[in-house]
Amino acid sequence: MLSLDKLKSTGKKATRDGFGAGLKAAGDKHDNVVMLTADLRGSMKSEDFINTYPDRFIQVGISEANMMGIASGLATGGKIPVTTTFANFSTGRVYDQIRQSIAYSDKNVKICASHAGLTLGEDGATHQILEDIGMMRMLPGMTVINPCDYNQTAAAVQAIVEHHGPVYLRFGRPGWPVFIPEDTKFEIGKALPLSEGTDVTIFATGHLVWKAVEAARQLEEEGISVDLINIHTIKPLDEEAVIASAKKTGAVVTCEEHNKYGGLGSAIAECLSKHAPTPQEYVATDDTFGESGTADQLLAKYGLDTPDVVAAVKRVLKRK
Amino acid sequence: MADIQELKKIASQVRRDIIREVYLSQSGHPGGALGNTDLLVALYFEVMKHDPSFNMEAQGEDVFFLSNGHISPVFYSVLARSGYFPKEELKTFREIDSRLQGHPTTHEGLPGVRVASGSLGQGVSVAIGMALSKKMNGDDRTVFVLTGDGEQQEGQIWEAALFAPHNKVDNLVLIIDDNGQQIDGPTQEVLELGSFADKYKAFGWDIMRMNGNDMEETVKVLKEAAAKRNGKPTCIVMDTEMGMGVDFMVGTHHWHGKAPDKEQAHTALDQLEETLGDFAAEGI
Ligand SMILES: Cc1ncc(C[n+]2csc(CCOP(=O)(O)OP(=O)(O)O)c2C)c(N)n1
Ligand SMILES: [Mg+2]
């Protein structure tokens, strides 16, 4: 069982680097893993895989729709295609191609998306998708995963390759604290408890898990006991874990680098409104596009920083 | 008659602006911006009729769309230098709370920008729509749109390529920046594009060619293209060198999306004459 004192940052590494490491390991184990990219191989940090398995690497050029179709065909022929590009071009750009040729057709395609959310920084709103979890979550049969650090991303890649069915794996650009112990088991669809508490539950996904850890430390110091749960798999949601914690604490905060509509907060609210109605506060973007800036500036400006998590907890405790 | 020397002086200043913008923000895309500088200067300072007081609908004006939005530093410089907004604003490029977003947008109300771009492959369709609206409005001015060559790999481009000749959108000039480079390397290695001239000709476009780093030729060809109304859209296949004007950036994809450090920035600026006065900024 993890706890706050075990969650120490061992330095910063990008989750996309974790993707690259995980892909190489998955490729070593499974010779039907094939990587595709749309003119962004450098950004995907997968040179290890590409150099070791050049025959299992496909460069499609800047043609994401084509990439999704080719992936569907490769899957039809028994391969495990891993598509790679930025999160916006992995989802919004190609939604119908994914919907028809992959999701509706039950294809075993792994859609791996870097540069999700605000933290890609200076490129700005055209690239900062904050709606992708929602879009992908609405597709029947799609598994949606947003790992929180390098280690978890690497482990997630292995797990999705061994899971049969379409998956959306979302990760990011910047260096980020590595704090999930390397030997932590990654199970698709299983919530990962990070700290046990009784006053409030924080459900967090992706980069914001680290912010939630920092917030939980502050709150514990103030005598507020936090049940901190990492929801790396947003779909299928670990409803049992969500309901149990909400019933125990009676107050919920959700944290994600995504719009407040459609993402983790929505998934939790949908579950709890049916099974255990609980006051909930959202740490998420407030139905807005992003903008250029550094990752830290943007997280602060758009209300996704540690103080925002602390404030959300205090708000929800008043509603208990 | 165009004063080519004058235009070249402006281009030198615009190239300085690009280097300084990208250096200050330590992010952005200098390579394509430098390569397309002569084109944008020719358009905004010689070829296009346009009004920097900026009216979105651009009645009676020529219009330019930047589909390859990542080369925003050149777009912003040319807009500022032709009076759309103060040149001092260039120092805010890619900073938080700026109107000069990483990729151009209408969202912050920057004068001169008519549609967001950055996600590649969408601008030609938008330009077609604008050109059609001009025809419907009885406005005979011309719509220009620029795309990268790598950008031409997007499928939507070819939907647009099919549409424009069929619908006789002859007030449209598509310029393809045929610099032979994209992010992952030379276009030949990433995904061969073959002959744009042959492809667009087969789709029913008029083809023109120019060296987009030769100011005199660029002005001449653009003027000819703009004047033409023969029932066919025009595609200008434009040769440029990525990074043109800065010796260590020329002809390679390595400077597609990378900022120079201080020493590199100064080396670059030493090669570019300050002709109109730099925008004020600290640290460079
Ligand atoms: C739809 C989409 N896919 C991928 C990208 C990422 N991207 C930005 S620029 C670029 C390369 C563009 O090549 P080209 O059009 O030749 O421009 P150049 O590198 O010559 O400036 C890519 C792949 C993007 N912005 N939009
Ligand atoms: Mg190019």
Side-chain angles (χ1 to χ4, degrees), chain A residues 2 151-152 155 180-186 192:
Chain A
L2 293 168
N151 289 340
Q152 192 173 73
I180 299 290
E182 223 173 320
D183 56 2
T184 307
K185 194 160 172 237
F186 185 91
L192 178 66

Side-chain angles (χ1 to χ4, degrees), chain B:
Chain B
M1 243 323 269
D3 183 341
I4 299 298
Q5 284 318 313
E6 203 51 40
L7 293 173
K8 284 184 179 173
K9 278 189 183 164
I10 299 170
S12 178
Q13 184 66 53
V14 168
R15 287 191 164 95
R16 286 184 70 84
D17 288 352
I18 293 166
I19 295 295
R20 298 176 80 244
E21 287 173 81
V22 173
Y23 170 72
L24 287 166
S25 74
Q26 279 302 296
S27 73
H29 300 77
L34 290 166
N36 285 283
T37 296
D38 305 303
L39 170 75
L40 267 81
V41 168
L43 282 171
Y44 276 84
F45 290 88
E46 180 63 29
V47 176
M48 293 200 316
K49 179 184 175 215
H50 66 106
D51 177 4
S53 66
F54 189 59
N55 177 335
M56 181 59 88
E57 293 179 9
Q59 290 280 357
E61 292 181 64
D62 296 315
V63 169
F64 171 74
F65 287 105
L66 181 71
S67 186
N68 45 339
H70 60 278
I71 68 163
S72 56
V74 62
F75 192 29
Y76 294 149
S77 167
V78 165
L79 288 176
R81 296 287 172 182
S82 44
Y84 282 83
F85 55 86
K87 72 174 192 289
E88 304 312 332
E89 208 169 331
L90 293 173
K91 72 167 181 289
T92 70
F93 175 60
R94 286 182 165 239
E95 281 185 5
I96 198 151
D97 297 324
S98 170
R99 299 197 292 179
L100 276 57
Q101 289 292 298
H103 296 77
T105 171
T106 56
H107 208 64
E108 330 288 336
L110 186 70
V113 182
R114 289 194 167 84
V115 74
S117 58
S119 183
L120 295 167
Q122 304 187 22
V124 183
S125 306
V126 177
I128 288 174
M130 184 82 190
L132 288 175
S133 82
K134 285 206 176 289
K135 284 188 178 285
M136 292 171 190
N137 292 339
D139 173 356
D140 195 38
R141 304 307 307 187
T142 302
V143 177
F144 299 88
V145 55
L146 173 65
T147 82
D149 51 355
E151 183 178 11
Q152 290 277 324
Q153 292 160 352
E154 284 289 359
Q156 184 182 344
I157 293 272
W158 299 98
E159 299 175 23
L162 206 51
F163 178 96
H166 177 85
N167 291 282
K168 303 189 170 47
V169 189
D170 58 2
N171 53 344
L172 176 73
V173 178
L174 160 65
I175 302 147
I176 302 173
D177 174 27
D178 197 4
N179 64 7
Q181 306 288 339
Q182 58 189 108
I183 290 191
D184 281 350
T187 51
Q188 276 183 345
E189 286 168 27
V190 175
L191 186 64
E192 174 63 82
L193 285 147
S195 161
F196 288 120
D198 290 351
K199 288 188 172 66
Y200 275 86
K201 193 157 185 282
F203 275 67
W205 293 59
D206 273 344
I207 311 298
M208 300 177 83
R209 289 171 181 280
M210 68 190 188
N211 175 352
N213 295 133
D214 178 326
M215 189 63 85
E216 196 168 348
E217 185 176 320
T218 299
V219 166
K220 186 170 153 279
V221 172
L222 288 171
K223 282 186 173 171
E224 232 174 275
K228 205 169 58 61
R229 295 288 183 271
N230 62 351
K232 290 178 169 191
T234 302
C235 170
I236 302 178
V237 183
M238 176 179 73
D239 282 324
T240 69
E241 289 277 9
M242 204 172 211
M244 190 64 177
V246 176
D247 57 7
F248 62 90
M249 292 187 177
V250 170
T252 160
H253 64 275
H254 294 301
W255 293 93
H256 161 91
K258 198 173 86 173
D261 64 23
K262 188 156 197 166
E263 203 185 312
Q264 290 165 330
H266 280 294
T267 308
L269 292 173
D270 286 345
Q271 302 171 30
L272 300 164
E273 195 192 341
E274 182 180 349
T275 52
L276 303 177
D278 286 340
F279 61 87
E282 272 167 48
I284 179 98

Side-chain angles (χ1 to χ4, degrees), chain A residues 118-136:
Chain A
L118 291 174
T119 50
L120 70 84
E122 291 82 354
D123 271 344
T126 49
H127 290 48
Q128 290 160 335
I129 196 155
L130 296 163
E131 311 97 53
D132 54 326
I133 294 177
M135 275 192 278
M136 300 311 279

